[in-house]
Amino acid sequence: MDLRRLARLTAETRAPAATRARRGVALVVAALVIIAMGAVALWTMRPTATDAPRIRSIAVLPLQNLSRDPDQGFFSDGTTEALISNLAQIHDLGVIARTSIMRYKGTTKTVPEIGRELSVDAIVEGSVQRVGDRVRITVQLIRASTDKHLWAREYERDAADVLKLEAEVARTIAQEIQAHLTPEETRRLASARSISPDAREAFQLGLFHWSKNNEADVRQALEYLQRAIQLQPDYAAAYAALSRASSWLRGGGFPNDEVAMRTAAAKAIELDPDLAEAHNAMSIIKYLDWDWSGAEQEARRAIALNPDSLTPLSNLLTITGRHVDAIAESERTVKVDPLFSAAHYIHGTDLYFARRYQDAMVPLKRAIELEPRDWGAAIMLANTYEALGKPEQALRVYDRPEFRESPYIARTYALLGRRDEALRVLSGVAKRGTIDLYPMAVAYFALGDKDRGFEWLTKAFDQRSAYVYGAKVYPAFDGIRDDPRFKALVARLKLPN
């Protein structure tokens, strides 16, 4: 065989092997391409922060006080409240109110537990440290359902810039959870200014004492708030708090400075028309003045600026007979402040006045569960039992030292037919001098003594007792509604039809 033929045969023999090799390489390359494309697809479909359920509600837990002075706890509490207030201005975000939050101070509960109890998507926790003229705030954002840390940051500023710092923290949190801020909300959060550290401290001490809800502490709060105003004459929040604390005294039947209460509310609005608490303070004043439309207008303005505002709105709606709207408003209040006994008390009261007695039992019992000393909720719960024809249950509710010699239990004795006991209690109350006029009237009506009842009810109207506002819808007055004397008294309220 010649050499040329041998070469051709050799080439022909090798050709299939080379082709197979090339095909093998092509298959390997194709497989690698497919794998790469799959990896890209998997990477594209990976879970990301934005793919996770959007955060629509949040709770700011009490910030830990890391200052060396344990008495600086009021400062960390004040910073917590400021963050809550700033975040609550964002209508795209549900924020749990301060009263419920402070129940978790020093808690050992886990983030998922707290998230379930408050029905929120995320939790903010952190610390505050004040050293000299410097303030350091550390915060972290945690998804409530998984306890996953989403974001953390540390801030440090001069104490004079603490308001700006608190607003900056709130803005950053809003950005991290992709909350939508309206231009107006952005403007308000950016409008924080510098403030005297001493004025800020006096203000926070004022809020601390006011939150104690007793006459001595509220009077101490007034002194601190006046001090804050002296140090910072343009401190709108201090004026608003001063007015609110003074109106607390008025509502509780304690002496107060009426002029200071009114001028402080007006000054707060003048200094900062966008301050929710300023409008809330003015709403309460107008409510006390029986200016119902003015009170409702100011209450709605406060809620528009800060949905966490606890205003007299639901009560205004109730006493004017708008029960469906009143119940919806108090339900909203319970949602933003679920661990605040007063929120449940107000909701139960609205249901009671709407004559939904069975429904009223649930929030009223919850109010007492949250705060066993809540005497207002106890009174309304007893009223509800009486409306259901169960005065013996009401008597059990009144089995507390503060009620055993009160006109409230006298009415229950009357409904039980224990007339002599009712009269004995009412006589003792009258002799003591300090008399709650409205329940005295209600007790005498239950005894069937209309003349004495109207005598006390007229005094209550003359002194503008806090309870007379609900006379038009109070079920206990059903038996006297057609009496001309009752119609004349209700007409004095000038309630809208």
Side-chain angles (χ1 to χ4, degrees):
M1 183 179 296
D2 60 40
L3 294 174
R4 284 178 295 181
R5 186 178 178 184
L6 179 61
R8 187 168 61 252
L9 288 172
T10 303
E12 289 174 354
T13 303
R14 290 176 177 173
T19 300
R20 287 194 299 272
R22 286 194 297 271
R23 287 175 181 170
V25 171
L27 288 171
V28 171
V29 171
L32 290 173
V33 170
I34 291 171
I35 292 170
M37 291 175 64
V40 170
L42 288 172
W43 175 258
T44 303
M45 294 185 293
R46 77 195 190 283
T48 64
T50 55
D51 291 327
R54 184 184 165 197
I55 293 174
R56 298 181 180 275
S57 55
I58 199 167
V60 181
L61 296 187
L63 299 177
Q64 185 179 359
N65 173 31
L66 295 185
S67 302
R68 294 180 179 178
D69 182 1
D71 291 336
Q72 285 290 314
F74 72 88
F75 185 82
S76 57
D77 290 348
T79 304
T80 302
E81 182 168 2
L83 286 180
I84 292 171
S85 180
N86 284 329
L87 287 168
Q89 296 179 40
I90 304 170
H91 286 67
D92 191 41
L93 182 64
V95 183
I96 300 298
R98 173 192 179 278
T99 318
S100 292
I101 289 301
M102 295 313 291
R103 286 181 173 269
Y104 291 99
K105 192 171 184 179
T107 185
T108 58
K109 292 183 178 180
T110 65
V111 166
E113 285 177 314
I114 297 171
R116 285 192 296 271
E117 289 178 1
L118 297 177
S119 299
V120 294
D121 300 324
I123 298 290
V124 174
E125 62 180 17
S127 62
V128 180
Q129 185 174 18
R130 182 179 179 185
V131 180
D133 293 330
R134 302 289 289 177
V135 175
R136 179 182 299 142
I137 299 178
T138 302
V139 289
Q140 54 185 337
L141 179 69
I142 306 169
R143 185 171 291 279
S145 60
T146 61
D147 205 10
K148 180 181 179 181
H149 289 238
L150 304 177
W151 164 85
R153 186 169 296 181
E154 183 177 287
Y155 303 80
E156 185 170 344
R157 299 284 190 283
D158 287 334
D161 293 328
V162 68
L163 296 182
K164 294 180 180 179
L165 172 57
E166 291 160 350
E168 181 184 347
V169 174
R171 284 198 309 271
T172 306
I173 292 172
Q175 291 167 0
E176 287 296 324
I177 63 177
Q178 299 181 347
H180 173 69
L181 274 72
T182 66
E184 177 62 18
E185 290 165 352
T186 302
R187 183 192 66 79
R188 287 206 302 267
L189 286 174
S191 63
R193 56 190 178 79
S194 298
I195 194 165
S196 160
D198 290 339
R200 170 73 170 185
E201 180 172 321
F203 172 72
Q204 290 183 323
L205 281 168
L207 296 184
F208 173 78
H209 283 280
W210 178 23
S211 70
K212 298 296 183 181
N213 286 324
N214 64 74
E215 183 186 6
D217 272 292
V218 172
R219 293 199 182 283
Q220 184 70 55
L222 290 173
E223 294 181 12
Y224 279 117
L225 293 169
Q226 289 164 347
R227 174 65 176 161
I229 291 169
Q230 291 171 354
L231 293 168
Q232 187 92 27
D234 60 349
Y235 203 165
Y239 281 104
L242 180 69
S243 178
R244 290 286 310 279
S246 184
S247 67
W248 185 95
L249 291 173
R250 162 79 181 273
F254 303 109
N256 76 319
D257 188 335
E258 287 283 313
V259 175
M261 177 182 75
R262 297 168 189 280
T263 56
K267 186 66 174 179
I269 293 176
E270 176 190 330
L271 290 169
D272 188 352
D274 293 332
L275 181 64
E277 276 304 294
H279 292 279
N280 198 2
M282 186 59 74
S283 174
I284 293 170
I285 289 172
K286 290 183 178 294
Y287 182 90
L288 294 171
D289 289 343
W290 299 3
D291 178 359
W292 313 118
S293 60
E296 182 173 341
Q297 180 181 350
E298 291 291 347
R300 291 191 182 279
R301 177 58 178 157
I303 293 170
L305 290 167
N306 184 345
D308 277 5
S309 299
L310 184 60
T311 72
L313 180 57
S314 76
N315 199 17
L316 285 162
L317 295 169
T318 284
I319 65 178
T320 53
R322 290 174 284 174
H323 298 296
V324 174
D325 293 339
I327 291 167
E329 170 59 20
S330 57
E331 283 178 341
R332 183 197 67 82
T333 303
V334 168
K335 186 175 181 180
V336 300
D337 216 347
L339 301 182
F340 186 26
S341 64
H344 294 274
Y345 158 61
I346 292 169
H347 185 42
T349 299
D350 290 339
L351 289 165
Y352 166 80
F353 280 117
R355 298 167 192 266
R356 290 173 52 181
Y357 303 128
Q358 290 290 353
D359 293 334
M361 303 283 282
V362 176
L364 291 172
K365 288 181 177 179
R366 177 59 172 157
I368 296 170
E369 178 186 339
L370 289 168
E371 179 49 74
R373 296 171 298 176
D374 191 333
W375 62 272
I379 292 169
M380 291 310 302
L381 181 60
N383 283 346
T384 304
Y385 277 126
E386 291 167 351
L388 288 168
K390 299 178 180 180
E392 66 284 351
Q393 292 289 90
L395 193 62
R396 293 191 184 97
V397 175
Y398 285 142
D399 188 20
R400 293 161 49 165
E402 63 266 38
F403 292 125
R404 287 176 190 147
E405 296 295 323
S406 73
Y408 301 102
I409 201 169
R411 178 176 189 267
T412 306
Y413 284 144
L415 294 175
L416 286 167
R418 295 160 62 172
R419 184 179 182 85
D420 290 343
E421 289 177 84
L423 290 172
R424 176 188 60 78
V425 171
L426 292 174
S427 176
V429 171
K431 289 177 181 177
R432 288 199 297 271
T434 303
I435 304 172
D436 200 342
L437 305 171
Y438 193 73
M440 290 287 286
V442 174
Y444 275 108
F445 286 131
L447 286 166
D449 190 341
K450 289 187 178 181
D451 291 339
R452 293 293 300 275
F454 276 113
E455 178 186 336
W456 286 104
L457 188 57
T458 300
K459 290 179 180 179
F461 270 83
D462 290 344
Q463 296 186 21
R464 297 202 170 198
S465 169
Y467 292 106
V468 302
Y469 309 143
K472 185 177 180 180
V473 293
Y474 190 21
F477 289 149
D478 286 351
I480 59 170
R481 292 197 185 281
D482 293 333
D483 192 301
R485 291 170 292 182
F486 182 75
K487 292 180 179 180
L489 288 172
V490 171
R492 289 169 57 178
L493 292 172
K494 297 181 179 179
L495 292 166
N497 293 323

